[in-house]
Amino acid sequence: MAGKTLFDKVWDSHVVEQIENGPSVLYIDRHLVHEVTSPVAFGGLEKRGLKVFRPQNTVATADHNVPTVDQHLPIKDLLSRSQVDKLTQNCNKHGITLYGLNHPYQGIVHVIGPETGLTQPGMTIVCGDSHTATHGAFGSVAFGIGTSEVEMVLATQCIMQPKPKKMRITIDGELKKGVTAKDIILYIISKISASGGTGYFIEYAGSAFRNLTMEGRMTVCNMSIECGSRGGLIAPDEVTFEYLKGKDFAPKGEAWDKAVNYWKTLKTDHDAVFDLELKYDTADIEPMITYGTNPGMGIKITGKVPVGTSLPENEKPSFYKSLSYMGIEEGSAMLGKQVDYVFVGSCTNGRIEDLREFARFIKGKKKADNITAWIVPGSKQVEKQAIEEGIMKVLEDAGFKMRQPGCSACLAMNDDKIPEGKYAVSTTNRNFEGRQGPGARTFLASPITAAAAAITGKITDPRDFL
Amino acid sequence: MPIDKFVTIESSCVPLPMDNVDTDQIIPARFLKATSREGFGDNLFRDWRYDKNNQPKPDFVLNNSTYSGSVLVAGKNFGSGSSREHAAWAIYDYGFKVVVSSFFADIFKNNALNVGLLPVQVSENFLSKLFKAIDENPSVKVKVDLENQLITLLSTGESEKFEINRYKKTCLINGYDDIDYLLSLRDKIEVFENNRMAF
Ligand code: SF4
């Protein structure tokens, strides 16, 4: 019998029942909840007269819809406020731990899971949010679900899912100077397209990933969904254990040793078979930027936007629609393009390491006058650390201000919207039309590419400053 | 929420020949602030459908009375992006019962099935035939028969079989939802929990 992949090991050990020719009933270890995709699920539960089955497996936070200034005041937007209030009521009623506004653990759901140690190897983790994929960095099976499924997990701690196919992406070698985890994943998506991973769960393997920090691995796994894959994962190793050790919810003492022994078994067997194997070379990966309106439309920052004539006939309408929305010419260079906004934050690049890199880059330099910059920490803990480490001070000296934690302009549900027609270099994960505000035009890039734009006012190769 | 039973439909189609229609287009984030499921159809494709002053954009297909029906026909990789089930709610609430595409994003497909909206995945070839037929005659009808997993272009009689797993098919035809089934497994779930390794 062929060996098992890491994904098989975690998935199979959580199957409560397998329906013939149908989905698996999958047990969920951690359910993360936020204010936007949960109210209808709680409502459904109540209509059926049910209580939350395992409140202790569930943790909630308010992130998508919260303001990033004056968080101590009542939320001004009444609809947002009612959603956040509803979450509080639901959590109180059902005995669910809530890290709401002003709680020291509040933050973007995918930032706080790892930093509190709630996210651990070998777990199944779901959340009504597609970037749940982030948690795969720990060797867990983590993916986003819809509201009906949120209700299922609340009611039974299980969901019904067809088992995805398996893909392995292997990249070996040293990363070139100025290339970050964000560039690796933007590179992968540009290669396999925004739909190339659909139907698969991806395992990232090889030294390029092993050499990343946990933060970097999270950035990679986070964007697995941008190629259509439900999630991505990386086998846990010493870097993972080191990161988790001592975290609030990580096992302690004897339980820790037992856990690590188990976690060490979580890797793909040598003779395991994948449905698809892809290999890339670090020599080909450079700082990346997107030019279009899906995350697969990315190029090397020094490259040129493709020309439509090179595309298959059926892809042309979307391509031209995208360029016209972006106000970008086919065949043009991205370097030197004027930018209006720089956004640093989100569950992709709003962790402490991202702020550190940004701060290191801009230290001793000044923000360009034409740039409005929003620096939004991923969580209260990130914010606190940024203050303690002096990052806040570096930012302020260079003319930047840090806001308060939340999803912010990543999806522009609160007031942080990039105005119509304006260009933003953003460390987020989606450049869809209107994602960062109606008419907003987004270029996705790494924190240091964002930093380079923030100090020059235009798209700039960060390596010019390294 | 229990879902409506899916019965065979014959309907004209609304064409949206664009690839990669993402859930932010289907329902922009700023319309996700509700705490109940009602009314999302009004904001379906909001920014393609209305201009800044909330006036309908005449060139968008939902504002073109030539096209109507309960079948939305879209380009490949439909529903990519966010996991918001609101996207499926909006499409269903607007009045569509079926979305046809050559390729659906996984989460969208699950969400659609969970609300009773049938995603019908067809070949690129069949999809372009559909677009062409609708282009030539906007009132051309398709028949979607879930029982036999067949979609038929009624003008020519051409049909194609589509895939759906047997479990989900039964749910849609009978109006069952997964929660009823999962609730019936609670004892089994508890046994599973008791047998697990814990740290
Ligand atoms: S930061 Fe953006 S992508 Fe991440 S959870 Fe929030 S809205 Fe979703």
Side-chain angles (χ1 to χ4, degrees):
Chain A
M1 206 176 86
K4 284 186 159 198
T5 68
L6 163 61
F7 175 76
D8 291 324
K9 289 181 184 178
V10 181
W11 180 282
D12 294 352
S13 67
H14 287 82
V15 174
V16 175
E17 182 177 275
Q18 181 61 46
I19 295 177
E20 220 191 307
N21 285 323
S24 316
V25 175
L26 198 67
Y27 188 81
I28 301 303
D29 296 313
R30 288 272 188 268
H31 183 199
L32 306 171
V33 169
H34 65 85
E35 76 278 21
V36 176
T37 53
S38 67
V40 171
F42 280 108
L45 205 64
E46 269 155 36
K47 269 189 212 138
R48 291 172 200 260
L50 296 170
K51 294 215 65 96
V52 173
F53 185 56
R54 293 289 178 256
Q56 68 274 23
N57 293 20
T58 314
V59 170
T61 189
D63 56 0
H64 280 65
N65 211 344
V66 301
T68 54
V69 291
D70 292 335
Q71 285 186 349
H72 60 289
L73 298 177
I75 301 176
K76 282 197 205 117
D77 180 317
L78 291 181
L79 286 172
S80 302
R81 195 201 298 176
S82 104
Q83 221 171 36
V84 172
D85 289 348
K86 194 83 197 163
L87 179 70
T88 311
Q89 288 161 18
N90 284 329
C91 289
N92 288 342
K93 189 151 144 209
H94 291 277
I96 292 171
T97 304
L98 168 66
Y99 300 140
L101 277 186
N102 303 314
H103 189 287
Y105 288 176
Q106 180 267 340
I108 303 172
V109 62
H110 312 308
V111 175
I112 68 173
E115 73 186 4
T116 54
L118 281 165
T119 304
Q120 294 167 23
M123 286 184 162
T124 47
I125 303 176
V126 297
C127 171
D129 185 282
S130 58
H131 291 96
T132 310
T134 314
H135 309 265
F138 291 77
S140 55
V141 166
F143 53 90
I145 56 177
T147 296
S148 297
E149 293 168 320
V150 171
E151 187 179 335
M152 291 173 210
V153 183
L154 292 174
T156 66
Q157 207 54 40
C158 290
I159 50 169
M160 308 192 59
Q161 293 289 305
K163 189 176 179 181
K165 290 183 287 184
K166 290 155 289 183
M167 181 195 305
R168 177 161 62 187
I169 297 181
T170 308
I171 307 184
D172 277 308
E174 290 282 317
L175 290 178
K176 292 203 268 191
K177 193 174 82 170
V179 176
T180 67
K182 181 67 163 283
D183 302 303
I184 304 180
I185 189 66
L186 284 174
Y187 172 87
I188 292 172
I189 303 165
S190 77
K191 288 283 169 194
I192 69 176
S193 90
S195 59
T198 307
Y200 292 94
F201 225 87
I202 302 175
E203 178 173 345
Y204 301 99
S207 57
F209 302 107
R210 274 201 311 277
N211 293 339
L212 292 174
T213 60
M214 281 318 290
E215 277 91 350
R217 294 179 190 186
M218 286 186 246
T219 301
V220 169
C221 290
N222 171 278
M223 288 189 72
S224 302
I225 182 75
E226 304 324 331
C227 64
S229 166
R230 284 303 281 281
L233 74 181
I234 296 176
D237 59 11
E238 290 304 325
V239 178
T240 322
F241 310 148
E242 193 51 43
Y243 176 96
L244 273 173
K245 195 158 193 183
K247 293 258 187 295
D248 282 326
F249 296 101
K252 304 270 153 48
E254 233 177 89
W256 170 261
D257 298 332
K258 215 172 125 199
V260 170
N261 276 338
Y262 168 59
W263 294 343
K264 284 184 176 163
T265 67
L266 296 174
K267 50 181 166 228
T268 293
D269 297 333
H270 291 295
D271 53 347
V273 182
F274 288 82
D275 299 286
L276 183 63
E277 293 249 25
L278 298 174
K279 280 197 167 59
Y280 300 106
D281 188 349
T282 47
D284 193 38
I285 311 179
E286 290 188 16
M288 296 285 294
I289 193 145
T290 64
Y291 60 87
T293 54
N294 76 59
M297 300 171 89
I299 50 173
K300 293 175 182 168
I301 195 163
T302 50
K304 288 204 162 73
V305 176
V307 283
T309 43
S310 65
L311 296 172
E313 209 48 47
N314 58 348
E315 288 179 18
K316 284 180 185 166
S318 312
F319 176 78
Y320 285 114
K321 182 168 188 294
S322 175
L323 290 200
S324 118
Y325 177 86
M326 292 297 292
I328 296 268
E329 300 282 327
E330 53 183 332
S332 67
M334 292 297 284
L335 283 179
K337 218 178 153 16
Q338 244 341 110
V339 175
D340 311 291
Y341 281 72
V342 166
F343 178 71
V344 179
S346 86
C347 59
T348 311
N349 284 124
R351 283 175 287 270
I352 188 66
E353 187 178 277
D354 303 308
L355 296 191
R356 273 188 208 130
E357 283 189 4
F358 185 86
R360 199 180 308 134
F361 195 97
I362 58 152
K363 192 168 184 180
K365 307 185 182 75
K366 287 277 176 232
K367 181 182 81 62
D369 290 337
N370 61 313
I371 294 286
T372 306
W374 292 336
I375 319 287
V376 182
S379 71
K380 278 276 195 307
Q381 293 201 67
V382 171
E383 179 186 45
K384 181 160 169 266
Q385 222 174 329
I387 296 169
E388 286 169 3
E389 292 183 14
I391 291 173
M392 185 91 125
K393 175 83 172 51
V394 173
L395 292 176
E396 279 166 7
D397 290 348
F400 296 91
K401 246 189 102 190
M402 203 161 79
R403 298 167 86 92
Q404 291 173 300
C407 293
S408 179
C410 175
L411 89 166
M413 255 188 106
N414 67 358
D415 288 342
D416 307 344
K417 294 178 174 50
I418 312 291
E420 181 170 357
K422 297 290 182 196
Y423 288 103
V425 174
S426 180
T427 68
T428 54
N429 42 55
R430 289 191 174 136
N431 49 359
F432 298 155
E433 280 184 34
R435 170 78 178 184
Q436 298 200 279
R441 293 156 157 176
T442 303
F443 302 127
L444 301 174
S446 75
I448 59 171
T449 300
I455 58 176
T456 61
K458 51 192 188 212
I459 295 179
T460 303
D461 190 335
R463 291 170 295 191
D464 294 352
F465 293 88
L466 295 175
Chain B
M1 212 155 100
I3 55 174
D4 299 332
K5 291 184 186 178
F6 190 93
V7 288
T8 297
I9 55 169
E10 287 185 17
S11 168
S12 52
C13 306
V14 177
L16 194 63
M18 278 291 149
D19 292 349
N20 300 312
V21 174
D22 60 72
T23 49
D24 275 81
Q25 307 319 315
I26 299 172
I27 180 98
R30 60 188 193 281
F31 299 109
L32 307 183
K33 298 189 184 202
T35 51
S36 76
R37 235 191 87 161
E38 277 85 58
F40 283 96
D42 295 343
N43 295 315
L44 174 65
F45 295 118
R46 181 76 202 196
D47 293 336
W48 286 351
R49 201 165 142 200
Y50 298 100
D51 67 16
K52 269 183 295 187
N53 307 315
N54 295 326
Q55 293 307 308
K57 295 185 184 176
D59 56 348
F60 186 62
V61 66
L62 293 192
N63 298 323
N64 183 343
S65 57
T66 321
Y67 300 101
S68 65
S70 56
V71 177
L72 178 66
V73 184
K76 85 163 182 251
N77 198 24
F78 186 84
S80 57
S82 143
S83 63
R84 58 188 73 159
E85 195 169 304
H86 311 67
W89 298 342
I91 296 172
Y92 196 74
D93 187 52
Y94 183 87
F96 292 114
K97 299 265 183 279
V98 173
V99 188
V100 182
S101 173
S102 57
F103 201 85
F104 290 95
D106 284 333
I107 304 184
F108 177 81
K109 197 196 278 180
N110 277 354
N111 286 343
L113 288 166
N114 282 335
V115 308
L117 175 70
L118 180 65
V120 172
Q121 187 162 327
V122 296
S123 64
E124 293 277 344
N125 184 23
F126 193 81
L127 186 68
S128 28
K129 274 188 195 155
L130 270 183
F131 279 131
K132 193 156 167 281
I134 301 165
D135 193 40
E136 283 162 6
N137 174 11
S139 53
V140 69
K141 285 192 172 174
V142 294
K143 176 172 170 186
V144 181
D145 172 358
L146 176 56
E147 189 67 57
N148 295 303
Q149 296 173 225
L150 269 189
I151 175 164
T152 311
L153 181 57
L154 290 177
S155 56
T156 62
E158 279 173 285
S159 68
E160 193 168 274
K161 197 158 167 91
F162 57 88
E163 289 303 318
I164 179 168
N165 76 54
R166 203 167 64 192
Y167 168 81
K168 269 294 165 196
K169 179 171 159 181
T170 315
C171 288
L172 278 181
I173 289 176
N174 297 298
Y176 300 154
D177 73 7
D178 287 352
I179 299 191
D180 297 325
Y181 183 74
L182 286 172
L183 287 171
S184 74
L185 292 183
R186 271 202 183 187
D187 289 348
K188 206 168 171 182
I189 297 169
E190 285 190 352
V191 171
F192 176 88
E193 285 178 322
N194 292 333
N195 291 334
R196 314 184 53 231
M197 180 170 32
F199 305 122

